[in-house]
Amino acid sequence: MPRSIWRGVMSFGMVAIPVRMYLATESSSKVSFNLLCPEHRSRIKNKRWCPEGDHEVAWGDVVRGYEYEKGSYVVMDDDDLDKLPLRSSKAIDIAGFIEDRELPGPIYYQSAYYLEPEKAAAKPYALLQKTLEKTGRVAIAKFALRDRERLVSVRPLDGVLLLNTLHWPEEIRETGDLDLPEDVTVSTKEISMAETLVDAMAMKFEPDEFKDEYKEAVEDIVKAKVAGKEIIEAPETAAETTVVDLMSALKASVERAKKGERAGGRGQRAASDRKRTTTRKRKTA
């Protein structure tokens, strides 16, 4: 059983729900690289160094400090943070409920956490979960986690309440500084052909069908280098589509997608695509 990273009370109105919080995701990438000295091929050590006393500081001796003015710090420990005059450090107070479509998730979402009710809170937990599910609403709240207050959303997911930390509005960069194309003319025929291609490539999202192949590719290269064998490079990607042949590229893509369906359906086509090397998929994305 994973260990909870936070426990407290979530409330909406006068209803209080004692909950525990668990990480909803974990890193599956097992690839890790060490930093080496180019001459001796030995691992480089990172030291926590105190320039004032000219000595190394053990990790267990490090303290947390807040710089209140240039070069001056006040030490803050866990007890100090527990005394913060913020209700959000002890509770998730739901401010209100919004429609799911009102939250621009792709840019706001950060990390995901599961909320588990304490034994005595099973009924109010189920009440909130089922109500959100029925109304299609998402709860918005604030609470403090890991030394900072966060904006969060709470939604139902497969019988569980899922909490997502959100970016604060001021953390999201504007698009004004991007060099975006202006006054680009796209014909009706091009849009229609692109829609046909999208429809031909339509599929249901089945997460289990996708696999992270990066680790396997790295291990293959490592084995080849250790054995002194030649490394087989990834195949070249297709040339970048130009404006001149955009329609022909769309038509060829549609025909290819349709052939894939006739050969074995969209599922087989998706499986075939996943067999390509990770490098190639990344370049063609």
Side-chain angles (χ1 to χ4, degrees):
M1 180 70 179
R3 193 173 74 175
S4 63
I5 63 171
W6 182 89
R7 62 184 299 185
V9 175
M10 177 173 60
S11 64
F12 65 108
M14 300 298 290
V15 180
I17 311 172
V19 294
R20 295 174 183 257
M21 181 182 296
Y22 300 85
L23 286 170
T25 61
E26 60 182 355
S27 176
S28 61
S29 176
K30 305 301 182 183
V31 176
S32 61
F33 295 100
N34 296 307
L35 300 179
L36 308 178
C37 168
E39 179 180 356
H40 301 100
R41 293 293 192 271
S42 59
R43 288 184 62 176
I44 294 175
K45 293 183 178 180
N46 295 318
K47 294 185 177 181
R48 289 165 292 277
W49 196 259
C50 172
E52 187 73 21
D54 194 29
H55 62 87
E56 184 178 358
V57 181
W59 177 247
D61 295 333
V62 172
V63 296
R64 184 190 292 112
Y66 182 87
E67 187 176 27
Y68 61 92
E69 61 182 39
K70 189 65 176 180
S72 297
Y73 302 85
V74 60
V75 173
M76 297 282 289
D77 57 24
D78 291 338
D79 288 338
D80 293 320
L81 296 177
D82 286 340
K83 297 173 183 175
L84 284 175
L86 285 175
R87 178 171 169 75
S88 61
S89 63
K90 299 292 185 182
I92 303 172
D93 282 334
I94 295 175
F97 301 89
I98 65 172
E99 293 185 10
D100 195 5
R101 59 182 175 79
E102 294 180 68
L103 182 63
I107 196 169
Y108 268 88
Y109 287 134
Q110 289 182 316
S111 301
Y113 302 89
Y114 292 134
L115 296 177
E116 174 192 76
E118 299 285 4
K119 298 300 182 184
K123 187 169 184 176
Y125 180 94
L127 173 66
L128 178 59
Q129 186 268 325
K130 293 181 182 300
T131 303
L132 291 178
E133 199 171 62
K134 184 175 181 179
T135 61
R137 295 271 176 173
V138 176
I140 299 296
K142 292 195 307 179
F143 96 111
L145 175 67
R146 292 175 180 164
D147 304 348
R148 52 180 300 207
E149 190 173 51
R150 299 169 186 268
L151 183 66
V152 302
S153 67
V154 178
R155 68 176 65 244
L157 178 69
D158 298 331
V160 179
L161 287 176
L162 178 72
L163 181 146
N164 286 101
T165 54
L166 308 174
H167 287 288
W168 292 102
E170 60 268 21
E171 294 178 327
I172 297 175
R173 295 178 175 176
E174 299 291 338
T175 60
D177 294 334
L178 299 178
D179 185 16
L180 300 175
E182 297 181 3
D183 301 324
V184 178
T185 301
V186 180
S187 70
T188 303
K189 288 185 177 180
E190 289 170 335
I191 293 177
S192 178
M193 185 59 68
E195 289 177 346
T196 302
L197 176 58
V198 169
D199 183 63
M201 296 179 65
M203 58 182 286
K204 289 186 177 181
F205 180 52
E206 300 290 348
D208 292 340
E209 293 184 3
F210 293 87
K211 176 184 175 184
D212 181 0
E213 298 172 337
Y214 187 81
K215 178 176 181 290
E216 184 178 335
V218 170
E219 289 178 343
D220 288 343
I221 292 179
V222 169
K223 291 176 183 177
K225 290 176 74 71
V226 171
K229 297 180 180 179
E230 180 183 358
I231 297 175
I232 301 175
E233 296 184 9
E236 292 294 327
T237 59
E240 183 177 336
T241 303
T242 62
V243 175
V244 177
D245 64 359
L246 181 57
M247 274 300 291
S248 60
L250 285 170
K251 290 178 180 178
S253 299
V254 170
E255 185 60 29
R256 179 181 176 181
K258 289 181 177 179
K259 286 181 179 179
E261 289 180 20
R262 288 195 292 270
R266 292 170 183 167
Q268 181 171 321
R269 183 184 70 236
S272 176
D273 290 342
R274 287 193 295 277
K275 290 180 181 179
R276 299 174 189 171
T277 63
T278 303
T279 303
R280 186 173 183 181
K281 286 193 295 183
R282 189 161 52 246
K283 288 183 179 179
T284 55

